[in-house]
């Protein structure tokens, strides 16, 4: 583990990234951003990894971008550095990523969770985009991804008042896939990731790519894209294996090809 602000573990075919700046409630400083991106890219390029979990601590997934680090930056600095653009590289990852969120997921923390493919939340999770209280607005996709996840009404409410919402409301609103007792969070997230990692990796990548396409295109184009990708699954050994296993009433053995 060559990282300072995260822990990187492997559980079988699942890579687990744990945000680890407890003194700052996992605030996302530039080193943490660089390390998370490097860790995700490393896991993404490893064919032995079929899914990734990103998690934080019991108290905080992440309490936002690091305010102390940002505080005195000038417009010219944040603009020329294109502050936070590195986070875009997470959306280029093709391996499925599960966010396991307990405690605070605020500002950049909520945005990091939304950069993952889906969120499993502990009943203690609190989501919000409180940037407005600091005199800024979301800068890692929050105004866009939150709106797509929960719709205009709640996105406006959260971004304009800066209030937080709990796990139940987040699940009801469509931000979160599942809510589980805090004590079970990591186990449930690992189980979901292990299930994903037991599938054919290229097929899981295709499923992720197809769902993501729905955010980028019209319904007709998205359905056509899906059908072409569906057709291409028939070029894989794993399609033959998956269907043969069903017919023969046995578990499939996917080879990732
Ligand atoms: C830097 C942070 C931090 C942050 C917490 N800390 N959040 N440091 N950046 N985002 C630090 C505190 O300064 C404190 O350090 C330590 O973590 C513990 O936090 P406390 O505030 O003492 O804990 P608590 O009273 O339990 O309150 C928890 C909290 C609060 C409600 C989450 O910390 C909070 O409101 N944090 C800021 C949340 C926020 O506004 N996030 C959005 C950031 S802007 P010390 O050294 O005092 O012990 C953002 C923008 C993204 O994400 C893109 C647009 C710019």
């Amino acid at each position: 583990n060559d990282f300072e602000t995260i822990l990187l573990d492997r559980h079988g075919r699942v890579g687990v990234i744990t945000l680890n700046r407890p003194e700052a409630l996992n605030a996302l400083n530039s080193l943490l951003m660089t390390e998370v991106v490097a860790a995700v890219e490393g896991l993404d390029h490893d064919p032995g990894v079929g899914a990734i979990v990103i998690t934080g601590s019991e108290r905080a997934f992440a309490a936002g971008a690091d305010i102390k680090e940002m505080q005195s930056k000038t417009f010219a600095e944040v603009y020329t550095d294109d502050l936070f653009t590195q986070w875009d590289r997470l959306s280029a990852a093709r391996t499925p990523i599960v966010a396991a969120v307990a405690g605070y997921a605020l500002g950049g923390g909520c945005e990091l969770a939304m950069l993952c493919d889906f969120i499993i939340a502990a009943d203690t999770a609190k989501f919000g985009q409180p940037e407005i209280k600091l005199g800024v607005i979301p800068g890692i996709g929050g105004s866009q991804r939150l709106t797509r996840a929960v719709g205009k009404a709640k996105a406006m409410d959260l971004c304009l008042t800066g209030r937080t919402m709990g796990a139940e409301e987040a699940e009801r609103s469509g931000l979160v896939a599942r809510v589980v007792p805090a004590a079970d969070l990591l186990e449930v997230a690992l189980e979901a990731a292990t299930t994903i990692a037991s599938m054919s990796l290229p097929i899981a990548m295709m499923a992720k790519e197809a769902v993501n396409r729905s955010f980028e295109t019209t319904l007709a184009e998205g359905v056509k894209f899906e059908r072409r990708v569906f057709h291409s699954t028939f070029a894989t050994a794993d399609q033959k294996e998956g269907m043969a296993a069903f017919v023969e009433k046995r578990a499939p053995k996917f080879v990732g090809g």
Side-chain angles (χ1 to χ4, degrees):
N1 206 337
D2 296 331
F3 298 111
E4 269 179 51
T5 62
I6 62 172
L7 306 171
L8 180 57
D9 294 306
R10 281 283 291 275
H11 292 255
R13 288 177 46 78
V14 176
V16 180
I17 295 169
T18 305
L19 309 181
N20 189 33
R21 291 189 69 214
E23 72 285 0
L25 299 181
N26 294 333
L28 313 170
N29 64 5
S30 53
L31 180 61
L32 185 142
M33 170 167 67
T34 302
E35 292 191 337
V36 170
V37 169
V40 167
E41 286 182 342
L43 294 168
D44 191 38
H45 292 133
D46 182 343
V49 172
I52 298 167
V53 172
I54 300 182
T55 194
S57 70
E58 241 172 73
R59 208 169 148 218
F61 178 73
D66 192 309
I67 299 166
K68 294 167 190 168
E69 189 183 65
M70 280 185 293
Q71 180 179 17
S72 55
K73 287 186 188 292
T74 64
F75 165 75
E77 282 171 343
V78 298
Y79 179 78
T80 50
D81 291 353
D82 206 2
L83 182 65
F84 298 143
T85 191
Q86 277 187 72
W87 286 117
D88 293 344
R89 284 158 58 187
L90 286 202
S91 24
R94 301 176 71 215
T95 309
I97 307 178
V98 179
V101 175
Y104 297 111
L106 302 180
C110 186
E111 293 170 301
L112 171 56
M114 293 190 292
L115 271 164
C116 300
D117 296 312
F118 65 95
I119 301 172
I120 299 180
D123 49 11
T124 58
K126 290 186 184 63
F127 298 89
Q129 299 291 158
E131 287 89 346
I132 196 162
K133 297 201 271 183
L134 300 167
V136 291
I137 71 166
I140 314 173
S143 65
Q144 306 303 300
R145 290 196 180 88
L146 185 65
T147 308
R148 281 165 171 76
V150 306
K152 177 181 168 183
K154 280 213 192 273
M156 282 289 189
D157 181 2
L158 292 174
C159 291
L160 290 174
T161 68
R163 79 170 173 93
T164 60
M165 74 176 165
E168 290 303 329
E169 183 181 359
E171 186 185 32
R172 219 186 318 127
S173 313
L175 177 61
V176 155
R178 314 183 201 176
V179 179
V180 301
D184 303 340
L185 177 67
L186 201 57
E187 189 190 324
V188 174
L190 272 175
E191 193 181 288
T194 301
T195 300
I196 295 166
S198 75
M199 307 298 175
S200 164
L201 181 58
I203 304 298
M205 286 174 168
M206 288 179 197
K208 166 170 170 164
E209 195 174 9
V211 173
N212 279 334
R213 184 57 72 101
S214 73
F215 292 103
E216 308 290 349
T217 192
T218 63
L219 179 60
E221 285 303 319
V223 169
K224 189 181 279 180
F225 176 83
E226 178 200 70
R227 188 159 307 125
R228 293 296 171 245
V229 176
F230 165 72
H231 293 156
S232 71
T233 63
F234 286 74
T236 66
D238 285 336
Q239 174 268 329
K240 297 290 173 280
E241 168 62 12
M243 293 195 178
F246 175 80
V247 170
E248 292 160 19
K249 300 185 189 293
R250 60 175 176 82
K253 284 193 78 163
F254 294 124
V255 296

